[in-house]
Amino acid sequence: MTSDYDRVRTGIEFMTAYVSGNDLLGAYLAERRREDPAAAENLMDGTAALCAALLRTLARMTGKTEHQILQELARGTHRHEQRSDE
């Protein structure tokens, strides 16, 4: 069984590659797939664990519920996409 720390650490590694650009992300994903056939599942699990930890932290910092924060993120993303389409 993987610990929460390991799951979050996997999410941090994946998101670090993601924000570093497509070339690094592609190389990271290729390396992970070579090391572990279940890499995609592990990366999704790790990213979900990281997001959950960040969401809990943000909820504590803002005094909002996790659900409220998710709704705000969805609305903000939708508005940004609408403006981008104009």
Side-chain angles (χ1 to χ4, degrees):
M1 174 174 242
T2 304
S3 71
D4 285 344
Y5 172 81
D6 291 335
R7 293 172 67 216
V8 169
R9 184 73 200 141
T10 297
I12 290 169
E13 288 176 5
F14 179 66
M15 292 307 297
T16 299
Y18 179 84
V19 300
S20 296
N22 286 337
D23 291 339
L24 185 58
L25 178 60
Y28 175 77
L29 289 173
E31 180 182 330
R32 289 299 304 256
R33 285 185 187 122
R34 279 192 304 274
E35 293 173 358
D36 179 10
E41 288 179 24
N42 292 335
L43 291 173
M44 287 189 313
D45 179 65
T47 303
L50 172 62
C51 288
L54 292 171
L55 187 58
R56 280 190 300 272
T57 299
L58 192 53
R60 279 193 308 270
M61 291 172 58
T62 63
K64 296 178 182 179
T65 67
E66 294 168 359
H67 186 72
Q68 288 171 317
I69 293 167
L70 290 170
Q71 287 179 325
E72 288 177 13
L73 286 169
R75 283 192 298 268
T77 301
H78 181 69
R79 280 192 304 270
H80 176 74
E81 287 178 353
Q82 285 181 325
R83 281 188 235 132
S84 296
D85 290 343
E86 292 175 357

